[in-house]
Amino acid sequence: MVVKNFQLTLKHAIHGIEVTRLYPEVIMDLPAAERGIHQLDVRTCIGCGACARICPNSCIEQVSYKYGNPLKNKKMKFPQIDYGRCMFCGLCVDDCPTGCLTMTREFQIAGWNRNDIIFGPDDIAVGKYSDEEAAKLAEEARIAAEEKKKKKAAAAKAKKAKAEAAKKGDEGSGEKKKEE
Amino acid sequence: MTTANDVLDALQSAFPGAIQEFRVESDNRLWATVDPNKIVEICKFLRDEEDFDHYSGAAGVDKIDEDLFEVTEILASHGAHPVVALLKVKTPRDTPSVKSLTGLFWNADWYEREIWEMFGINFEDHPGLYPLLLVDDLVGSWPWRKDFKGYPDYNTNERVLEKINPDGYAEYKISPTEAEIEAGTVPETRPEYPTFREREIMELETESEMILHMGPQHAIVPGPFMLDLRVDGERVKKAYLDVGYIHKGIEKILENRTYIQGIPITDRMCYLASLSNNEVFCGAAERIMGIEVPERAQYIRVILEELSRIQSHLLGTGEFLSLLGGATFSPFQWMILDREEIISCIESVTGARINHSFVRQGGVRNDLPDGFAEMTRSALKTVVDKTNEYKELLLSDNIYRKRMEGIGILSPEEARRFGLSGPPLRASDTPYDMRREDPILVYPDLDFNVISRKEGDSKARVEVRLDEIIESCHIVEQCLDQIPGGPIREKVSKKIKPAPGEAYYRVEDPRGEMGIFLVSDGSDKPVKVKVRGPVYAYMQALPPLLEGAYVADVVAIAGSMDACTSEVDR
Amino acid sequence: MGISDVVPIPVVIDEELEKWTVWGRPLTNIWLTTTEKIHEIIDMGPIKNILNWGRKNSLWFLMQPMGCCGVEMLVFGCPHYDCDRFGIIPRATPRQADVLIISGYITRKYLPAIKNLWGQMLEPKWVIAIGECAISGGPFYDSYNIINNTSDFFPIDVYVPGCPPRPEQFIKGFRELQEKIKRREDERGY
Ligand code: SF4
Ligand code: SF4
Ligand code: SF4
């Protein structure tokens, strides 16, 4: 009886199949769909906050961060993820309009303190700009913003002028009408 | 075959005027609002004349706009016909009281206790209206009412007072904060009742009896629950079960999440069946929205649900065997090995090991990856081979058989009376399976057997599970052969807002009948989600099942139910 | 009390000995030692490092599945991840355990029970919070029944995020704890 019960064990023991995944040294192959730690492409994030709104655990907060792309992200707000609360559900990734937030196969996090596991944009960012690039982009953004402002101002002026003209025209016509 | 219309006709002729409103949703769903004074007679009629012998549960809904509470009794049949009757009883909000069905259905007890502690709806003629899930401090604040103010800014930590009692154990009192008292969250009057401990001590009869506590943490307990046995010598005279140690209030949380945000939360109801839970939550919403899932998505769902059934059964059986004989019944380790293969297959699609959050309203999250079919086929082959080996092993092992045969016997009548479903019911000679009774997805196109056993003892329950593993493998293989191409998600708007309405949707999860009763009012959040879980019924049936057993058999009986505490407590 | 009280030696030697020190402490203190003193000495000297080396390589944990993370805890002990490689062994009773793994949601009803489990564990002991629920309440952070900041009740040494964390993460958490013990920076200061 006993021998029979050990048959299975013996059979497998002889085959010598190794099953242990030798974790700290070897990390097993994970599928592409794996939902691990997030990755943020700061160059394309537009800071819309859709990820923060959909998150069921409200663990995403939009914080300021300077190595992003100010041309796209006007307020320079990027998501910060509290891994002490994130449940890796992937809803934020599904909802990101530009696809800049993705989930990687990396999963190893552990912290000695609660604050260690709150990952700011810097910890999850890829494609960070260097200082000079950031400065340059900021400059560009400033110029663009100014131009836009100018344009806006010009547009506003034009509009105003138009409106005034129209008004005048109206008045004129009114007068005309009156005259008639 | 009886249809909903037939039942309605029978009801209307037997109780003229008692049916205030009705709606026949389909051939097997009947919704009716009935006269509160006649509910017991109506249910008795349905049970005795129309074969509604399966009390599936009850749900309370707080209709704060109409100043009403609604209690919906869900009745079904154990195989005679597929009609589910949902009978609504209305009761005013200031003095809520409805008639109890405990006299008709034994298992109405827990459902009614739950509704009482959560909503404060009184049940007339209920034998013992004691809290079930909630801690005694919270009883009286009726947390599931819509005007419960403790949600969502409920920070428990600030108000826990630690006290060391004379025996040296810590006790906690949750004191209300000032703000809370001001807001009126703290009830002025609390219901009075004997606590769990007092109740069981009251029942001690002779000097030789004693109470043996198992849990909340115990080597055999798969999750925290407390099993107190009143023993006389080696015999269990009576068992008392206290659940609610991991009551998370998922149903309340779901009311405060949008339909999309709710999906990851439903995973956590029963973590071994998270795909079925996703399915049942999304399916209910789909019923209300009236959308049909693309065929490919249906196949993907079936494949994953069956794979998840395999892994759940492997873990459940393995864990049970290890409880029985420590490490001697080494199948546990082997079963975990097989389970890992299945998990890898699921993970390659969903990206997670346990909590998948994969099913979406109208489809699934992503498509199957390349090479999934080959990978799964090889994993299934291993699993089938190994499972056959386990079956042979368990059949040939005398020690195991002596320990398991003839204990915890559930006769078919008892099993039905207890409201069981899934493997424990099927082990008692009742081939009752949601995939057959109330077919959803592509199950009607698939060829599979409903496994059942005649004996009804612990051994039969394990055998049913092992056979179901093989059957599920068979289903998955068929699906892999038949799966068509096409889209995987129906076009639904990003903000899901089902029309006002209700739905009751049920699936066969690894442990039995899992149903969700969903009420929508047209906004993006559900009004009420009621989960009818299979393990709830298992747990309720445990005390009567343990009565008269030897203490040594308690593990062999309780473990064979494969109970998952998380789903009981939700 | 000097040595001359115990051994017949001249008082001069006794006085001389009292001037001697070991690791900045009078030799006589060590000589006429009590359990408390032994502990004091162990605490300051390299003996502690040796003890901690032993402790960190035999972290037995309490098998106490509470939530979904409990399932991964089972797998963590099984062949694929084989926690025995690190001297980490599951135990069924708190009396034999060194590490309490909080593996899920702590509810109001369960808090006294788990606090008692923690009280029943023998020193030295550590706590690891596994999963979101154990750290912050996770998906149930706004529930009426959940304790959403466990660190108020337990001196948590390592936080392991994940929902549930993969079994690898359990190993990672334990290795962090070992590191923490080695550096003697753990919460309770062993
Ligand atoms: S990560 Fe995506 S969703 Fe989040 S702020 Fe950036 S662009 Fe918007
Ligand atoms: S994965 Fe889920 S829980 Fe985590 S940040 Fe994204 S939406 Fe929030
Ligand atoms: S952290 Fe996630 S997986 Fe772990 S117990 Fe909580 S909900 Fe479950």
Side-chain angles (χ1 to χ4, degrees), chain B residues 346-364:
Chain B
I346 305 181
E347 195 190 3
S348 71
V349 188
T350 66
R353 286 169 54 91
I354 305 275
N355 292 328
H356 305 289
S357 328
F358 181 68
V359 180
R360 293 284 185 275
Q361 286 89 354
V364 292

Side-chain angles (χ1 to χ4, degrees), chain C residues 101-171:
Chain C
I101 295 187
I102 303 180
S103 62
Y105 10 80
I106 298 187
T107 62
R108 286 178 169 204
K109 201 169 180 177
Y110 198 42
L111 177 68
I114 192 166
K115 202 72 187 179
N116 281 337
L117 285 178
W118 170 242
Q120 284 173 16
M121 285 168 56
L122 305 182
E123 310 263 345
K125 51 188 180 182
W126 298 271
V127 196
I128 298 185
I130 294 270
E132 314 306 320
C133 294
I135 298 172
S136 68
F140 316 111
Y141 70 102
D142 51 1
S143 166
Y144 50 84
N145 207 24
I146 295 282
I147 304 290
N148 48 14
N149 200 352
T150 324
S151 57
D152 288 0
F153 298 97
F154 297 96
I156 294 174
D157 275 306
V158 181
Y159 296 85
V160 183
C163 192
R166 296 178 62 86
E168 284 101 333
Q169 281 266 74
F170 278 69
I171 300 177

Side-chain angles (χ1 to χ4, degrees), chain A residues 84-140:
Chain A
R85 215 184 230 184
C86 166
M87 57 175 163
F88 299 90
C89 61
L91 290 184
C92 49
V93 174
D94 294 354
D95 228 44
C96 177
T98 58
C100 62
L101 195 64
T102 46
M103 281 176 136
T104 59
R105 295 181 216 184
E106 174 63 41
F107 59 84
Q108 307 177 51
I109 357 167
W112 290 12
N113 296 311
R114 179 73 175 79
N115 288 341
D116 291 357
I117 49 175
I118 299 178
F119 278 27
D122 200 37
D123 301 313
I124 53 172
V126 288
K128 275 183 270 187
Y129 289 108
S130 65
D131 274 331
E132 301 104 64
E133 275 173 326
K136 220 159 115 196
L137 276 170
E139 185 60 26
E140 254 175 55

Side-chain angles (χ1 to χ4, degrees), chain B residues 23-181:
Chain B
R23 179 165 72 93
V24 179
E25 184 191 319
S26 64
D27 269 359
N28 49 19
R29 288 282 184 287
L30 170 67
W31 300 81
T33 310
V34 300
D35 184 355
N37 297 320
K38 294 249 175 73
I39 178 75
V40 179
E41 289 85 50
I42 291 175
C43 289
K44 191 162 185 334
F45 171 80
L46 285 179
R47 185 190 69 172
D48 298 340
E49 311 289 327
E50 297 284 333
D51 290 326
F52 280 91
D53 54 347
H54 177 38
Y55 181 81
S56 257
V61 184
D62 184 357
K63 298 248 160 139
I64 195 162
D65 310 331
E66 299 167 33
D67 212 18
L68 281 178
F69 282 125
E70 259 180 26
V71 176
T72 309
E73 314 276 1
I74 307 166
L75 303 183
S77 161
H78 273 302
H81 56 73
V83 185
V84 180
L86 297 111
L87 307 176
K88 279 189 256 176
V89 185
K90 290 188 174 159
T91 174
R93 221 160 169 286
D94 40 356
T95 50
S97 180
V98 292
K99 292 224 163 84
S100 164
L101 291 188
T102 37
L104 293 178
F105 300 102
W106 178 85
N107 61 329
D109 181 14
W110 273 24
Y111 296 98
E112 292 181 354
R113 274 167 72 184
E114 188 188 307
I115 293 179
W116 171 71
E117 71 181 338
M118 297 302 180
F119 289 101
I121 301 175
N122 182 36
F123 282 88
E124 294 156 33
D125 310 327
H126 191 284
L129 220 42
Y130 307 124
L132 179 71
L133 300 174
L134 284 186
V135 65
D136 291 331
D137 296 317
L138 263 173
V139 179
S141 48
W142 317 128
W144 287 4
R145 288 192 181 182
K146 288 280 175 196
D147 54 359
F148 173 63
K149 296 212 181 61
Y151 191 93
D153 324 298
Y154 205 91
N155 186 352
T156 320
N157 297 22
E158 286 165 13
R159 48 185 107 157
V160 179
L161 299 179
E162 190 175 325
K163 211 172 68 193
I164 306 291
N165 71 9
D167 299 339
Y169 291 114
E171 270 181 8
Y172 291 89
K173 265 243 133 9
I174 315 261
S175 69
T177 57
E178 305 249 308
E180 239 183 343
I181 297 171

